[in-house]
Amino acid sequence: MRKRKGVMKIIFIVIATVLILLFIIYINHQIRLKKETDLRLPLGQMVEVDGHNMSIYVEGTGDTTLVFMSGGGTCSPILDFRSLYSLLSGTYQIAVVEKFGYGFSDVVNKDRDIDSILEDTRAALFDAGLNAPYVLCPHSMSGLEALYWAQKYPDEVSAIIGLDMAVPEYYDSMNINIPLMHIAGRAADIGVTRLIPGISDSDAIKYGTLSDDEKEIYRAVFYNRTATVTMINEVERVKENAQKVNSMGVPQLPMLLFISDGSGGTGFDKETWRKIPIEYISQVDEGKYIELNCPHYVHDYEYKTISESIIAFLAER
């Protein structure tokens, strides 16, 4: 009996210690968030969509508008794409739409079916005064949204330029660990992520052309927009969204896909990662693809090559 009480006492002490440490981590996180407030001031404009604030960034001029669409979990789309679109804004008008839960947009606990996501993006562009047709430049998971956009509103999309974008077939065999994402979200809310060295240094920070000030902004956004409930809701519906996009066939419009080597968190080997989009683009009459020897966030590595290829591709239209 005495031995059992001793064990229970040790367990209680361990639990109490952990709770105290988590409380200290949380308080530190809240203090740091407050100090970073100025770093999280919107870089673009805020528009109201469905009663909430959505961030959209516009740069450059021109008759053609390129709409950059971020992949799942990219905490700061405006800065993530900057190395690439800064090379294009002298020729085209650039727009980066930050979905709810991303960047400077509100975190909203709402359904993320493909129709809801698309209508939010369209509304943001309309409220910002940007008119279709658009050239869509999706990265990763937002490829589904771009394809669905071209399927549902073909007059609004003049071309798709995929930055290692996802096509529906990827999700047939993709394993998605939702419980782990929820744990990551709770850890980020508490501030545990601040204890992990280098975790906030994205590919855009390490390999892109961001200034030191922009890197600090990116880090501040990261600690406030990691595994948000909106992001998790999006991933929970992604397989269903992929099935819906797949059921509507392959849209026929000019399409250029930049395809990475599959490294950088895709979960696929190089051969499989490249095979799926190559088979997809083969069904597009005006489709082309370019293979790049770099990780998944291609626009943070091969921004110069990609920008030159985009200009050449659109010049042919």
Side-chain angles (χ1 to χ4, degrees), residues 198-215:
I199 192 173
S200 63
D201 286 357
S202 66
D203 287 353
I205 288 177
K206 291 187 287 187
Y207 305 106
T209 59
L210 297 181
S211 67
D212 289 341
D213 288 342
E214 288 167 341
K215 291 176 182 179

Side-chain angles (χ1 to χ4, degrees), residues 113-119 122 144-157 244-245 248-249 251:
D113 64 279
I114 193 73
D115 284 279
S116 177
I117 296 171
L118 174 56
E119 296 311 320
R122 293 177 68 242
L144 297 178
E145 183 185 352
L147 293 172
Y148 188 60
W149 200 336
Q151 294 164 340
K152 192 173 181 180
Y153 304 105
D155 292 340
E156 294 185 5
V157 184
K244 185 168 188 176
V245 174
M248 296 180 68

Side-chain angles (χ1 to χ4, degrees), residues 17-268:
T17 301
V18 170
L19 291 176
I20 291 171
L21 285 174
L22 289 176
F23 180 72
I24 293 172
I25 291 170
Y26 175 75
I27 294 300
N28 173 67
H29 181 49
Q30 293 305 309
I31 292 172
R32 296 285 293 276
L33 286 176
K34 189 173 182 179
K35 289 181 177 179
E36 293 162 353
T37 299
D38 289 345
L39 290 173
R40 297 196 307 275
L41 294 175
L43 293 174
Q45 59 182 300
M46 304 298 289
V47 297
E48 185 175 320
V49 176
D50 196 24
H52 304 282
N53 292 318
M54 182 175 282
S55 163
I56 180 168
Y57 177 83
V58 181
E59 177 178 305
T61 58
D63 297 331
T64 301
T65 301
L66 275 57
V67 178
F68 286 82
M69 307 158 68
S70 68
T74 300
C75 67
S76 182
I78 291 173
L79 293 176
D80 185 64
F81 287 121
R82 179 153 288 182
S83 297
L84 175 57
Y85 68 66
S86 63
L87 299 176
L88 296 166
S89 58
T91 307
Y92 312 104
Q93 185 172 59
I94 303 300
V96 183
V97 178
E98 296 191 313
K99 294 177 287 187
F100 287 128
Y102 292 72
F104 302 101
S105 295
D106 288 348
V107 175
V108 182
N109 191 359
K110 62 184 293 188
D111 194 12
R112 295 284 75 189
D113 64 279
I114 193 73
D115 284 279
S116 177
I117 296 171
L118 174 56
E119 296 311 320
D120 287 346
T121 302
R122 293 177 68 242
L125 289 166
F126 178 79
D127 288 349
L130 302 178
N131 299 315
Y134 312 110
V135 174
L136 304 182
C137 302
H139 172 243
S140 196
M141 190 165 68
S142 64
L144 297 178
E145 183 185 352
L147 293 172
Y148 188 60
W149 200 336
Q151 294 164 340
K152 192 173 181 180
Y153 304 105
D155 292 340
E156 294 185 5
V157 184
S158 59
I160 293 177
I161 297 172
L163 304 170
D164 215 27
M165 79 176 199
V167 297
E169 287 76 8
Y170 277 130
Y171 296 97
D172 291 343
S173 58
M174 185 177 290
N175 293 318
I176 302 174
N177 194 329
I178 299 298
L180 183 60
M181 289 193 67
H182 281 287
I183 293 172
R186 298 295 75 76
D189 290 341
I190 294 171
V192 174
T193 48
R194 291 187 185 272
L195 305 179
I196 305 174
I199 192 173
S200 63
D201 286 357
S202 66
D203 287 353
I205 288 177
K206 291 187 287 187
Y207 305 106
T209 59
L210 297 181
S211 67
D212 289 341
D213 288 342
E214 288 167 341
K215 291 176 182 179
E216 286 306 303
I217 294 171
Y218 200 120
R219 293 185 182 102
V221 174
F222 171 84
Y223 290 121
N224 199 45
R225 289 291 184 271
T226 297
T228 65
V229 64
T230 329
M231 292 176 181
I232 295 173
N233 290 347
E234 192 177 49
V235 175
E236 287 180 332
R237 293 295 297 269
V238 70
K239 284 183 176 286
E240 181 182 334
N241 290 340
Q243 290 171 0
K244 185 168 188 176
V245 174
N246 193 48
S247 70
M248 296 180 68
V250 179
Q252 294 299 321
L253 76 167
M255 196 179 301
L256 171 62
L257 301 186
F258 294 96
I259 305 173
S260 78
D261 60 16
S263 63
T266 67
F268 289 81

